[in-house]
Amino acid sequence: MTTALDPAPPSRLAMGSRASGVLCLADDYGDDNKGCCGRCLVGIQSMLCTKKPTFRSNVILQFCISFVTLLIGVSLFIISKSNVGQDQYHGAPVDALAEIPMMMMTPEETRAYWLSLRSEILTAIQPFVAADGDHTTNNNSNVAAVGSILLLQPGAPMWQALQWMALNDPLRPLPINDPQVLQRFTLATLYYEWSGTRWVLQRSDGWLHSIYLYSSSSSSSSSINNNNNNNNNNNNNSQTNETLLPVPVQECDWHGIQCDEEMRVISLDLNGEDSGIHLVGTIPFMIAQLKYLQQLHLTGHSLKGTFPKGLAQLQALTSLDLSFNRFTTMDYYMIGRLALLQYLDLSDNQLRDNLTQGDLQQLVHLRDLDVSANKGLHGDPFAMFLDWPNITHFNIGGTSCTGSLPDQLGELTYLEDIVAGFASFGGTIPTSIASCTNLKTFNMGGPDNGSAGLVGTIPTEIGKLVNLEFLSLSANRLNSTLPTEMGLLTNLLVFGAQFNIGLHGTIPTELGFLSNSLISLYLQSTSLGGRLPTEFEKFTTLQTLNIVGTQIDGNISDAFCAVKSLRDVRASCLPETCSCCMCGSG
């Protein structure tokens, strides 16, 4: 049995049994012609009926319908007529709905709009529900049923988003076939999925519960002052009305959102470090509805779970930053299908995955890759190095990744940063590195436990890296001398080769050519010997020198100690002399 307001009764699976909803809807009967006849607001349970309902059930059903119709009408009247709201974050009375042209709708119109929204949204999400790993199915009716459950589960993010659009959205009613409907619904879903009601928003930030907030003085105090203007001129001077400043209503003006000229969202950038927004939860598949999205930056939050498979639909995405969250796993193969992706940052999570060669191999436009500070992450990302001809920044530091630098490293001429410190790599430094003349950072510091690391020698070709600023070869298994060509690295700021027992010979005097650039030099726990070159006495920038645990002569001249820039000099200086050294401290 259906009512006159039920043009398209939803399925029983979609509604669930004996659940309370936001509107009084009728359920589908099914094959046995039995089901829930009514579904009413405020906890009134639905009633079971047979093919021939009794007089009593009809009376109760009519009472439910009348009660809900009255309640919705009263609620809409209160929402539309309220003049004063309360700023839940700042405690200041604020005018609600001022200057927002929210159209009044009858309960029947609201109900029809709700059903139309629901139908449009169900149609739109079916492909994404089917694609998502948690809801994969080959049965279209099952897909629709799962989608209905997600949409109509009371209290679920999608359910809350639908309720907001139907009852509280100041832009309602939007044309159902308007692309803004799905875009606005998607953002509302994200808001509820990520605990948006707990965000500390400013009035200018927009989003759902702040779009009614305005910067204004206390309406009550202003009213009192206006009523007493003729009796108290002093109060008139101290209490004045401020101009109401409307907050963003269009989603393109909300905090962290950018749109193109056609009002399509192209960037969602919610940085947890510089705002009152903290995201909690997972990334829902609904985000794939933002199909024009080019940037998705959600760094510094408490997001977890994985990346839904349906997000491979974001084919316009060029930048993805999910760093500093709590993700434990990622679908790298799916990320690898984001053909235009240039920037990928998954650093500082809790990833425990295995990166295989085929995962990110298709990202031919990739320029920046950062998966650092994920100790459980393993695999061989170096095997994909040559598949990224445009790679500029590469960071696997603080992971358990293995592999070695490819012999053809010199083909990657755009490289500026290679960071693999504390990872479990091996191999040698290829001589082709000479072609990487844009390289600024080469951090190949080995793991603390000495179980892996670079072997072989430091090639003389390293002297051709004229733009190099940071060079770390610490904690490796090198068997080499320091090449004199290092004196050509006139932009070098920091050089560390400590904890390489196989590093021998003397400190080349050519390092003195770096007198106007080098800031820190770490050579402790090596087999280097000889004396500190007198050229070091000409340094103007050197602040830190550590030669503890070496065979370098500890008699360091007073002329070197007179270098004004020195802050920290450490040497094994007993029984030798060094007036500026901290002796024997590594």
Side-chain angles (χ1 to χ4, degrees), residues 70-106:
L70 175 63
L71 186 58
I72 292 176
V74 171
S75 300
L76 292 174
F77 177 81
I78 292 173
I79 291 173
S80 62
K81 295 300 182 181
S82 297
N83 291 322
V84 177
Q86 185 72 20
D87 183 341
Q88 59 179 302
Y89 295 118
H90 304 285
V94 291
D95 290 338
L97 295 178
E99 301 179 5
I100 299 181
M102 183 174 179
M103 182 179 293
M104 286 299 299
M105 299 172 64
T106 65

Side-chain angles (χ1 to χ4, degrees), residues 423-442:
S424 300
F425 56 85
T428 62
I429 302 174
T431 57
S432 65
I433 197 174
S435 298
C436 300
T437 54
N438 289 311
L439 203 61
K440 295 181 179 179
T441 300
F442 189 63

Side-chain angles (χ1 to χ4, degrees), residues 200-426:
V200 183
L201 296 173
Q202 302 298 320
R203 293 179 176 90
S204 60
D205 288 336
W207 289 92
L208 274 61
H209 69 280
S210 69
I211 63 173
Y212 304 115
L213 302 182
Y214 289 74
S215 177
S216 67
S217 60
S218 172
S219 300
S220 58
S221 62
S222 297
S223 176
I224 293 174
N225 291 335
N226 290 334
N227 291 334
N228 291 287
N229 272 341
N230 295 330
N231 299 325
N232 192 338
N233 291 329
N234 291 332
N235 285 343
N236 187 41
N237 294 330
S238 60
Q239 300 285 350
T240 59
N241 291 324
E242 298 178 6
T243 302
L244 294 179
L245 300 176
V247 299
V249 173
Q250 293 288 348
E251 65 271 21
C252 292
D253 297 324
W254 294 352
H255 174 81
I257 293 177
Q258 289 184 348
C259 295
D260 60 15
E261 294 179 354
E262 298 182 30
M263 302 292 288
R264 302 177 302 196
V265 174
I266 59 173
S267 177
L268 181 58
D269 187 351
L270 300 177
N271 190 327
E273 297 179 357
D274 58 7
S275 70
I277 294 179
H278 186 71
L279 310 185
V280 178
T282 62
I283 299 179
F285 67 88
M286 271 303 298
I287 201 173
Q289 285 287 351
L290 304 177
K291 57 184 178 181
Y292 299 100
L293 200 62
Q294 298 175 19
Q295 291 185 335
L296 179 59
H297 294 175
L298 306 174
T299 181
H301 298 290
S302 299
L303 295 174
K304 56 185 180 180
T306 186
F307 214 48
K309 290 181 172 61
L311 266 66
Q313 309 258 355
L314 296 177
Q315 286 300 300
L317 201 65
T318 61
S319 182
L320 175 61
D321 186 352
L322 301 177
S323 59
F324 292 93
N325 278 287
R326 299 180 182 178
F327 293 104
T328 57
T329 185
M330 283 283 162
D331 190 333
Y332 301 97
Y333 177 75
M334 185 281 302
I335 294 177
R337 295 169 61 191
L338 301 174
L340 298 181
L341 198 64
Q342 299 179 24
Y343 178 93
L344 177 60
D345 190 348
L346 304 176
S347 62
D348 288 273
N349 278 281
Q350 301 167 16
L351 298 176
R352 299 188 295 269
D353 300 313
N354 181 25
L355 278 174
T356 60
Q357 185 170 359
D359 287 337
L360 304 177
Q361 197 170 11
Q362 301 178 57
L363 299 180
V364 295
H365 298 287
L366 191 66
R367 295 176 55 86
D368 296 78
L369 175 66
D370 190 346
V371 294
S372 62
N374 286 287
K375 190 60 180 177
L377 187 67
H378 50 284
D380 182 7
F382 288 111
M384 294 176 276
F385 229 172
L386 299 179
D387 296 315
W388 307 320
N390 300 305
I391 193 71
T392 303
H393 306 283
F394 176 81
N395 191 345
I396 61 170
T399 68
S400 297
C401 291
T402 57
S404 60
L405 294 169
D407 291 337
Q408 302 89 347
L409 182 65
E411 296 179 9
L412 305 177
T413 56
Y414 294 104
L415 268 174
E416 294 182 10
D417 301 293
I418 299 178
V419 180
F422 302 104
S424 300
F425 56 85

Side-chain angles (χ1 to χ4, degrees), residues 420-423 425 442-447 454 472-476:
F422 302 104
F425 56 85
F442 189 63
N443 182 353
M444 295 293 289
L454 295 171
S472 176
L473 302 174
S474 63
N476 283 292

Side-chain angles (χ1 to χ4, degrees), residues 14-41:
M15 283 299 187
S17 61
R18 299 183 180 272
S20 60
V22 74
L23 297 169
C24 190
L25 303 174
D27 284 342
D28 190 5
Y29 285 105
D31 296 336
D32 58 358
N33 204 29
K34 295 181 181 181
C36 297
C37 298
R39 190 167 181 266
C40 300
L41 198 64

